[in-house]
Amino acid sequence: MASKGSSMSFSRKSYRLTSDAEKSRVTGIVQEKLLNDYLHRIFSSPEHAPTAATSRKPLNFQNLPEHLDQLLHVDNEDEESQGQVEGRLGPSTVVLDHTGGFEGLLLVDDDLLGVIGHSNFGTIRSTTCVYKGKWVYEVLISSQGLMQIGWCTINCRFNQEEGVGDTHNSYAYDGNRVRKWNVTTTNYGKAWAAGDIVSCLIDLDDGTLSFCLNGVSLGTAFENLSRGLGMAYFPAISLSFKESVAFNFGSRPLRYPVAGYRPLQDPPRADLVRAQKLLGCFRAVLSVELDPVEGRLVEKDSSEWQLQGQPTVLLTLAHIFHRFAPLLGKDSKDVKDETTEEHRRRRAYERGCQRLKKRIEVVEELQVQILKLLLNNKDDNGGEASRYIFLTKFRKFLQENASGRGNMPMLCPPEYMVCFLHRLISALRYYWDEYKASNPRASFSEEAYIPPQVFYNGKVDYFDLQRLGGLLSHLRKTLKDDLASKANILIDPLELQAATMDDLDEDEEPAPAAAQRPMQALAMGGVLPLPRPSWLSSPTLGRANRFLSTAAVSLMTPRRPLTTSEKVKVRTLSAEQRTREDIEGSHWNEGLLLGRPPEEPEQPLTENSLLEVLDGAVMMYNLSVHQQLGKMVGVSDDVNEYAVALRDTEDKLQRCPKRRKDILAELTKSQKVFSEKLDHLSRRLAWVHATVYSQEKMLDIYWLLRVCLRTVEHGDRTGSLFAFMPEFYLSVAINSYSALKNYFGPVHSMEELPGYEETLTRLAAILAKHFADTRIVGTDIRDSLMQALASYVCYPHSLRAVERIPEEQRIAMVRSLLAPYEQRPWAQTNWILVRLWRGCGFGYRYTRLPHLLKTKPEDANLPSLQKPCPSTLLQQHMADLLREGPDVAPSFLNSVLNQLNWAFSEFIGMIQEIQQAAERLERNFVDSRQLKVCATCFDLSVSLLRVLEMTITLVPEIFLDWARPTSEMLLRRLAQLLNQVLNRVTAERNLFDRVVTLRLPGLESVDHYPILVAVTGILVRLLVHGPASGTERATSVLLADPCFQLRSICYLLGQPEPPAPGTVLPAPDRKRFSLQSYTDYISVEELAQVEQMLAHLTSASAQAAAASLVSGSHCTHVHTTQTHVSTNVHTTQAWHVSLSGYLTPAHPALCSLQPTSEEDLCPICYAHPISAVFQPCGHKSCKACINQHLMNNKDCFFCKATIVSVEDWEKAASTSTTSSAA
């Protein structure tokens, strides 16, 4: 780039001076005069003749933007005239009114011009209306279903049954039924098809309305339209579920313009003028070439132009494209460049935030210094040091806030608690590291944790907060032997009994007993207790403290012989009764660290009093700090909402006609309100970022997380004594990680924290080990651990952390996940297994279901909306464990099949109720809770099917190797459930299909795709990928099941049901489901496998039919009736299933064993003959039913007697061959 006075310069290779010509040859930068001529030649105004060179203003790249502003300037009158057209009201940019002008559930595209029906009959109108003149807009028909397109007034009221054309002053054309609508309906026009364009014309001068289809007029549809005061017509449409269209109001050239009719939206004339000028500049660049050697411009044919890397040409093109880019896809809201004023205000705001942060830091430092004074333990001067006075008050403060938790108002506002926590951590770490400097054997604050003996030696009062193992009194009674053996703590049984009785007595203790307590305390080496404080008057806290004040413990110094003189009894005192010696200890007393287990090191971490301060800080975070961190995130959301509202109001002010003083006044008032609110929220946001979400505060929360992780790890090593740990340590570990991940971004990333990977792995190890830990009994904390682990495996970085934990811990975690689903909350467990598989299953690589892609998720950060990230390592552990023992796989799979049967049956029952409610003539509403439960049952069914698919893929021999005692039964149960699911979902116009078509809010996830691809994945694994022998067995079992219908398999590929002989295949009247339609989700290889499976089953079915005809000549054909409510099949012939083939004719000798009446059928399933008798009650069923039943229950179906054995029924009269009931 050249500038004035730059005729001489230094060369890069040598420091000699070079001339302009030499510089041009070396660098490509032209002389100032040549550059001036070139820029004037390129950016000359086409309306004016070229001026003399002497009268032109010199041009260079510094003042070129100013010249371009003048060149591209369009008169304000021309710009403001757009949108101020007589006969039209509303914004100049016409779009669909997605904020208030709609009825029902609709999906509107981002450009607000495309719409998809998502309910029974939704209606939406545009943002602009017309009251005079001739107007037209076009609609692209994307689907040819039920729609009514036309015009309506603002007073029209629509619902899910009545749309455009069904009310007065609304008019519509329906090309699906070839009719026109205005309260009544008559035949009109022609049928439309997908891809057609409908032109909607309204003539408000003559009061007529007409339509065109692909540019061909359909004639006048309506006459004598209502006109006059208050009558203005909006473009509008009503469309049924899954129908879609795209509007063109004039933002693009009309496909079929009509003479005399004007589009609702004027073309962007100002932008078109600017674009034409820029294109002229671009053409000039192509036709002019620079000759820096001769110092002149050379005219050339634009077709011969080549870019040769000249900097002058490149910079010129950059200026052109910079101005042209916004015109290519201009969005007045999203692509609007930042103005100079906005840039200035943003920079001022950023500088203000920095100044605020610095001033806050000064105040924070003063607060830390005050806390340092309060935590000083060397200012006793003959009295009590400040730190121990602070500890007494601090513990009382925590107790008051813990007892009032959940009640408003809190004793301490949560925003104060957040600030207090951060200052306390700063002061605490200062004294911790100061102690380390003078005691080398101590630990740095980076290695801080709470030793486990603090939780069970009674030196620290945890009020009524829950322990991991339950109540403290219960733990001391049940774990007294462990306390004695591991921690040398002996609890006097008489004291325990007294404590138990004290728990039952709510009254104050008798006066004589109270009078004796001080003397007993002095005799036992304690101090004289103070009067009972008034804040311990609550019954619950009173019981807890009376227990702590009466439970005598005997502590013995471990690791050396004990003598009688060394046995010292001490009493747990309340916070106000303790002295410095009770906390810090002495030569014979370890203070807070009494009862150290052998797993803990002997060297001290730090001063005992600092440990109690740290314990209180963790409790503070659990009480209210975490909730407050989550609330502060809402400030940023509020700022965004008000910023959008303010921008919309300013846009309306610009579009509002100057003559409408009343509207201008209201808009100005709204602008002022929004601006003031936005200013207030912006200041608050700056304060929040400085005081709550700064980098320093993030490091404090991260340090607290690591403290909790180390505390849990050390407590876990104590075995059963881990149950004494308060629940809030695990809660803080889980919640602080969630806060770091979700609340501090995107300004501060957790991945930048020191030791991030190691911390993730340690937390993963804790979640993996303790989500099924029997030492943890609290329902809430167990659910929190399970949910945290379920969320953990949804994100790639945290899932990799799970894979990094030691192998034995991974295997133990997977073993717990594979435990039977009965008697435990199994839904979260199943979710974890599904997430480990997602991305590997058939058509299971989606993040969101195909039919939900047009909807905007409530929160894209939800774990369920994360991209698939399967774990092959954990899948391999699952396969190894399922192969490991004879009982692991059968018990697990039996529970999965039981839950699948329950979940899908519940789902079918609920959609029956929903369908019945929807078919009632009177207006009725379905309970939203029922819809939510229904959707949950469907999601559970799909996830259970995916777990079965994973199991079959990893360990197919569990179902296909019939040398295993339970394989055949599991395969038959699986085939029965798969057939039931297929029959229910694939039947034409069945219950499932009708409910899916309704698209009720709350049932968005219910669709054909998720459940059918899950079933298809299982069938493909059994019939295509399995070994030959396994494929034969799976085929025979599938075809032998009375519920099997080949039609259901054909449905997967969109093929109609095979017609009966002699009948004609009916023509399809609607779009059919087909896996081939989901090419973005299902690969070509997967589709080929489905086709192979269909061909295989078709051939096997033909062989089975032939075999049944052959067997009919040897034995009587017997028809069985399927009466189970969840099946819908025709009567089928009883076939003899051979393990070596698919279906073979029954042997003539066995004909007599075939059932001849309903009495010979199994009274449970009515699908198989009776083949087993129960002992001792003598009731009968088929073997399949009794074997399935005995996996869960040993009681008889009918009389509830305990089944001792099961005998073959046909041999019961003779040999009585007995098999075990197990």
Side-chain angles (χ1 to χ4, degrees), residues 330-361:
K330 186 174 181 180
D331 190 329
S332 59
K333 293 184 178 181
D334 298 333
V335 194
K336 186 176 179 180
D337 291 336
E338 185 180 49
T339 64
T340 304
E341 176 63 19
E342 291 173 340
H343 178 75
R344 185 189 63 79
R345 293 178 61 184
R346 180 173 60 81
R347 294 296 301 162
Y349 179 77
E350 292 173 352
R351 289 193 298 269
C353 292
Q354 292 297 325
R355 290 195 299 269
L356 176 64
K357 187 174 185 298
K358 292 180 179 180
R359 295 182 181 181
I360 288 176
E361 288 174 351

Side-chain angles (χ1 to χ4, degrees), residues 79-119:
E79 288 191 282
E80 292 179 358
S81 63
Q82 301 184 40
Q84 299 181 10
V85 179
E86 185 180 6
R88 182 179 64 192
L89 292 176
S92 58
T93 301
V94 187
V95 294
L96 297 176
D97 188 358
H98 69 296
T99 58
F102 67 93
E103 172 66 34
L105 188 60
L106 299 159
L107 305 179
V108 182
D109 291 347
D110 293 338
D111 59 2
L112 302 182
L113 294 175
V115 62
I116 300 176
H118 208 59
S119 58

Side-chain angles (χ1 to χ4, degrees), residues 119-297:
S119 58
N120 187 35
F121 203 52
T123 301
I124 191 170
R125 65 171 185 261
S126 71
T127 56
T128 300
C129 61
V130 293
Y131 61 91
K132 183 181 180 181
K134 298 180 180 180
W135 304 91
V136 63
Y137 70 92
E138 291 182 344
V139 181
L140 171 64
I141 306 297
S142 303
S143 60
Q144 57 187 12
L146 179 59
M147 291 178 283
Q148 295 175 196
I149 305 174
W151 304 79
C152 72
T153 64
I154 197 170
N155 295 322
C156 294
R157 294 293 178 262
F158 306 112
N159 54 44
Q160 293 289 314
E161 300 297 332
E162 296 182 343
V164 180
D166 297 328
T167 64
H168 291 286
N169 297 323
S170 68
Y171 307 88
Y173 162 51
D174 177 2
N176 177 262
R177 292 173 286 188
V178 195
R179 306 183 75 84
K180 62 180 180 179
W181 297 80
N182 175 237
V183 182
T184 60
T185 179
T186 56
N187 294 331
Y188 175 80
K190 297 188 298 184
W192 61 35
D196 288 346
I197 292 180
V198 176
S199 302
C200 304
L201 301 90
I202 188 170
D203 185 349
L204 291 171
D205 296 333
D206 294 336
T208 61
L209 196 151
S210 58
F211 298 91
C212 298
L213 184 63
N214 296 325
V216 179
S217 176
L218 301 178
T220 301
F222 302 100
E223 297 178 342
N224 301 320
L225 301 183
S226 298
R227 291 169 288 171
L229 186 63
M231 297 301 298
Y233 291 87
F234 292 83
I237 183 173
S238 297
L239 63 173
S240 57
F241 174 69
K242 281 191 175 179
E243 306 302 336
S244 60
V245 298
F247 284 82
N248 180 13
F249 297 109
S251 58
R252 301 181 305 275
L254 296 179
R255 182 72 176 273
Y256 301 105
V258 181
Y261 286 82
R262 183 173 184 174
L264 266 75
Q265 178 175 332
D266 293 327
R269 295 189 180 90
D271 289 345
L272 291 175
V273 171
R274 296 186 182 101
Q276 290 293 338
K277 291 182 178 180
L278 289 172
L279 287 175
C281 297
F282 183 71
R283 284 192 293 267
V285 172
L286 300 182
S287 60
V288 176
E289 186 177 290
L290 285 165
D291 186 356
V293 178
E294 299 293 334
R296 63 189 183 91
L297 302 178

Side-chain angles (χ1 to χ4, degrees), residues 963-1013:
R964 294 171 173 260
T966 58
S967 293
E968 181 180 359
M969 185 205 66
L970 289 173
L971 184 58
R972 292 187 186 280
R973 287 198 65 192
L974 177 64
Q976 180 186 22
L977 286 171
L978 293 181
N979 283 324
Q980 290 179 10
V981 172
L982 282 173
N983 292 338
R984 287 290 187 179
V985 176
T986 61
E988 294 289 346
R989 295 182 176 84
N990 66 347
L991 178 66
F992 182 87
D993 200 38
R994 291 196 296 271
V995 171
V996 168
T997 303
L998 291 176
R999 287 300 178 195
L1000 298 174
L1003 294 183
E1004 291 86 359
S1005 63
V1006 179
D1007 192 68
H1008 293 82
Y1009 180 84
I1011 195 165
L1012 287 182
V1013 292

Side-chain angles (χ1 to χ4, degrees), residues 711-731:
T711 301
V712 173
E713 291 168 350
H714 281 264
D716 179 47
R717 297 171 191 165
T718 61
S720 59
L721 300 184
F722 178 63
F724 283 94
M725 179 179 292
E727 284 184 352
F728 65 78
Y729 272 89
L730 279 175
S731 298

Side-chain angles (χ1 to χ4, degrees), residues 553-612:
V553 293
S554 298
L555 297 122
M556 300 169 290
T557 305
R559 302 178 185 87
R560 57 191 178 89
L562 300 175
T563 63
T564 306
S565 61
E566 292 175 328
K567 296 179 181 179
V568 181
K569 288 187 177 181
V570 296
R571 181 179 304 280
T572 302
L573 303 175
S574 64
E576 294 182 340
Q577 294 172 317
R578 294 182 306 176
T579 64
R580 178 170 183 167
E581 185 176 300
D582 294 322
I583 298 174
E584 301 292 359
S586 61
H587 65 282
W588 59 271
N589 181 9
E590 293 183 278
L592 291 183
L593 300 183
L594 282 171
R596 183 175 66 247
E599 295 83 5
E600 279 298 297
E602 295 187 15
Q603 62 269 21
L605 288 173
T606 186
E607 297 172 278
N608 291 354
S609 54
L610 294 180
L611 290 175
E612 186 170 349

Side-chain angles (χ1 to χ4, degrees), residues 631-645:
K631 290 180 181 178
M632 291 296 100
V633 177
V635 178
S636 178
D637 298 335
D638 293 341
V639 169
N640 292 331
E641 291 179 5
Y642 276 97
V644 171

Side-chain angles (χ1 to χ4, degrees), residues 1089-1132:
Q1089 293 166 4
V1090 178
E1091 294 172 354
Q1092 181 182 349
M1093 176 187 69
L1094 177 59
H1096 171 74
L1097 288 176
T1098 303
S1099 174
S1101 299
Q1103 295 180 24
S1108 64
L1109 293 176
V1110 173
S1111 64
S1113 62
H1114 298 286
C1115 60
T1116 304
H1117 290 192
V1118 180
H1119 296 274
T1120 62
T1121 306
Q1122 176 64 284
T1123 61
H1124 194 279
V1125 296
S1126 62
T1127 59
N1128 181 22
V1129 296
H1130 299 291
T1131 57
T1132 57

